[in-house]
């Protein structure tokens, strides 16, 4: 087909017609449709019929006139795509979306166009009848293709059912494992109870041993009283006495170790308490050194050539804090020495920063004016010092 040319800035009208699979022109379909036009994908012009309402187009018999007004599509080959929303009960929402992309053989360029009036385009929807589909419109192959998604969905559902059945088996296996774990837990509990009973029995045995020890002690005392009557009884009494002595010494040793351990714990506790008190004292002392402000005393003006030293007096607050400050001047009219002494250089005003080194956020900025010497007066009378010299400011 011959390519037609239209200036890319011009408005123009396309006449679109619909054909069936045999290439015959059919009436305008009574379903919603959308026509998209573009030269570059990022700029699209749309004409459509939605719920019977036409936008950027009008019906023209068996065709539709697309009115491309202020389209701003730019230069290049014009392409379009038809989208039909066809009624089809085979689909989930009863709508079959069908797309037909086509090249119109129209070139938008920056030269004069060679096409006047309406541009005929009858290649739209080469595979649709223009009407709603009925079941008789489909061939066995079409039906096979349309039923394929349903079969795939059925297969997916069957697979999901299989996975669900497997999950059930796995859940049952998990339940069996949980039951076994419960059984093991109950067995462990039973064993714990048995151990507890045995421990209680051991305690009873220990109590019985203690009772027997006391009885043996009593028998030892009886044997001592009867030593003259029986040598064997005396020997047994001696053995029991030695045994009791050994147990007493062991108990005494254990009590001594416990006392020593207690003394060591008290010593460590006292050392820790002393350390904490020392830390608290150092923290309190450190807090007293933290600057909280800066107080300044300085002259309003300084006379050039005055031999009497003038100072900037800086006090870091509180006075217990370190009295370390820096004087940072602009070096213009005067300078400030590290001890605060003002050195006049020339008439003018200098800006000076006074910065406490321990807390720079409390710095202050001052301005010192340096003036030319002038004669000091008292009213209309010139002032002199005790030696008769003229007093300067």
């Amino acid at each position: 087909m011959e390519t037609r040319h239209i200036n890319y800035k011009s408005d123009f009208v396309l006449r679109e017609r619909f054909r069936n699979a045999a290439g015959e022109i059919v009436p305008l379909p009574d379903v919603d449709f959308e026509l998209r036009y573009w030269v570059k994908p990022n700029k699209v012009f749309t004409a459509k019929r939605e719920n019977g309402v036409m936008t950027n187009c009008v019906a023209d018999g068996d065709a539709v006139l697309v009115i491309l007004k202020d389209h701003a599509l730019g230069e290049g080959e014009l392409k379009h795509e038809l989208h039909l929303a066809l009624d089809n009960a085979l689909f989930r929402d009863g709508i079959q979306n069908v797309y037909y992309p086509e090249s119109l053989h129209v070139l938008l360029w920056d030269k004069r166009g060679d096409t006047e009036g309406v541009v005929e385009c009858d290649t739209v929807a080469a595979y649709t009848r223009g009407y709603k589909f009925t079941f008789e419109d489909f061939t066995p192959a079409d039906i096979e293709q349309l039923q394929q998604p349903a079969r795939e969905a059925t297969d997916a559902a069957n697979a999901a059912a299989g996975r669900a059945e497997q999950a059930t088996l796995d859940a049952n296996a998990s339940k069996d494992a949980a039951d076994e774990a419960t059984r093991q837990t109950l067995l462990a509990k039973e064993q714990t109870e048995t151990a507890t009973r045995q421990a209680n029995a051991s305690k009873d045995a220990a109590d019985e041993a203690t009772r027997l020890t006391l009885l043996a002690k009593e028998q030892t005392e009886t044997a001592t009283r009867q030593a003259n009557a029986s040598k064997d009884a005396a020997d047994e009494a001696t053995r029991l006495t030695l045994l009791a002595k050994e147990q007493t010494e062991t108990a005494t040793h254990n009590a001594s170790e416990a006392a020593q351990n207690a003394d060591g714990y008290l010593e460590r506790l006292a050392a820790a308490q002393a350390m904490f008190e020392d830390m608290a004292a150092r923290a309190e002392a450190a807090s007293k050194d933290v600057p909280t402000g800066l107080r300044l005393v300085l002259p309003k003006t300084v006379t050039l050539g005055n031999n009497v030293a003038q100072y900037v007096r800086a006090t870091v607050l509180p006075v217990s804090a370190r009295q370390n400050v820096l004087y940072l001047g602009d070096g213009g009219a005067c300078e400030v020495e590290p001890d605060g002494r003002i050195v006049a250089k020339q008439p003018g005003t200098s800006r000076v920063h006074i910065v406490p080194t321990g807390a720079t956020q409390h710095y202050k900025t001052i301005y010192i004016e340096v003036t030319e010497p002038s004669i000091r007066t008292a009213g209309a009378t010139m002032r002199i010092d005790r030696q008769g010299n003229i007093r300067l400011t």
Side-chain angles (χ1 to χ4, degrees):
M1 178 181 290
E2 180 181 358
T3 299
R4 291 155 291 182
H5 299 79
I6 300 174
N7 185 274
Y8 75 95
K9 293 185 289 185
S10 299
D11 298 333
F12 58 96
V13 178
L14 295 177
R15 189 168 186 266
E16 302 276 17
R17 293 188 297 177
F18 294 77
R19 293 180 178 274
N20 59 18
E24 300 169 342
I25 295 175
V26 297
L28 188 67
D30 58 356
V31 296
D32 288 346
F33 64 84
E34 182 181 60
L35 287 163
R36 301 170 68 251
Y37 298 86
W38 71 92
V39 171
K40 298 179 177 61
N42 61 344
K43 181 64 178 177
V44 178
F45 184 88
T46 301
K48 64 182 178 180
R49 180 172 67 189
E50 185 175 8
N51 297 325
V53 178
M54 296 282 197
T55 303
N56 292 331
C57 60
V58 294
D60 183 31
D62 60 356
V64 59
L65 296 180
V66 180
I67 304 168
L68 288 95
K69 172 70 175 175
D70 299 328
H71 52 81
L73 292 175
E75 298 182 59
E77 182 181 359
L78 183 63
K79 303 177 184 66
H80 78 169
E81 178 183 74
L82 170 66
H83 168 212
L84 291 179
L86 304 176
D87 291 337
N88 191 332
L90 293 175
F91 291 87
R92 182 177 63 254
D93 56 358
I95 299 296
Q96 179 185 5
N97 293 297
V98 186
Y99 295 85
Y100 302 96
E102 286 286 348
S103 177
L104 298 177
H105 301 285
V106 173
L107 183 65
L108 302 182
W109 65 355
D110 60 351
K111 302 177 180 61
R112 180 176 179 178
D114 57 16
T115 301
E116 301 293 339
V118 176
V119 180
E120 292 287 340
C121 301
D122 58 2
T123 58
V124 173
Y127 301 103
T128 181
R129 298 170 64 251
Y131 297 104
K132 299 178 181 179
F133 280 124
T134 63
F135 190 79
E136 290 74 13
D137 293 325
F138 295 95
T139 66
D142 294 333
I143 294 174
E144 176 72 18
Q145 183 178 1
L146 291 173
Q147 289 177 344
Q148 181 64 26
R151 285 197 299 272
E152 292 176 353
T154 300
D155 293 341
N158 291 334
R163 289 194 296 273
E165 183 177 357
Q166 182 60 42
T168 301
L169 295 175
D170 294 341
N172 290 334
S174 298
K175 182 178 182 299
D176 293 340
D179 292 342
E180 176 62 19
T182 301
R183 189 186 68 80
Q184 294 291 343
T185 301
L186 293 176
L187 178 60
K189 179 181 178 182
E190 181 180 354
Q191 291 174 345
T192 301
E193 292 174 350
T194 299
T196 301
R197 288 195 298 272
Q198 291 175 348
N200 292 332
S202 297
K203 181 178 182 299
D204 294 339
D207 293 342
E208 178 64 16
T210 301
R211 188 187 66 80
L212 291 176
T213 300
L214 295 175
L215 178 61
K217 180 181 178 182
E218 181 180 355
Q219 290 174 348
T220 299
E221 293 173 351
T222 301
T224 301
R225 288 192 302 269
Q226 297 175 351
N228 295 327
S230 174
K231 182 178 180 299
D232 294 336
D235 293 340
E236 178 65 15
T238 301
R239 187 185 68 80
L240 293 175
T241 300
L242 293 176
L243 177 61
K245 179 182 178 182
E246 181 180 355
Q247 292 175 344
T248 301
E249 290 175 350
T250 300
T252 302
H253 175 72
N254 292 338
S256 176
E257 285 189 350
Q260 291 176 0
N261 291 336
D263 291 340
Y265 171 77
L266 292 175
E267 290 176 359
R268 291 193 298 273
L269 180 61
Q273 183 176 1
M275 180 182 66
F276 291 146
E277 291 176 353
D278 180 64
M279 291 174 62
R282 282 187 290 174
E284 182 179 0
S287 66
K288 293 180 179 179
D289 293 338
V290 176
T292 60
L294 184 66
R295 183 173 62 212
L296 301 178
V297 178
L298 66 152
K300 294 183 178 179
T301 62
V302 176
T303 303
L304 190 66
N306 189 349
N307 294 327
V308 179
Q310 300 290 321
Y311 289 86
V312 177
R313 305 294 184 184
T315 303
V316 180
L317 301 177
V319 294
S320 60
R322 293 185 180 180
Q323 300 297 315
N324 293 336
V325 295
L326 292 177
Y327 299 94
L328 305 176
D330 57 12
C334 67
E335 294 179 349
V336 179
E337 296 296 319
D339 61 353
R341 185 169 59 88
I342 303 171
V343 179
K345 297 172 62 179
Q346 60 185 11
T349 301
S350 281
R351 185 176 66 170
V352 180
H353 300 300
I354 296 91
V355 184
T357 59
T360 58
Q361 70 272 19
H362 296 302
Y363 80 94
K364 290 188 178 182
T365 301
I366 62 173
Y367 294 88
I368 301 175
E369 181 183 2
V370 178
T371 62
E372 293 282 4
S374 61
I375 297 175
R376 300 181 64 178
T377 61
T381 303
M382 182 172 59
R383 297 180 63 183
I384 60 175
D385 58 16
R386 292 180 180 179
Q387 289 75 31
N389 297 319
I390 297 175
R391 300 187 66 179
L392 302 177
T393 59

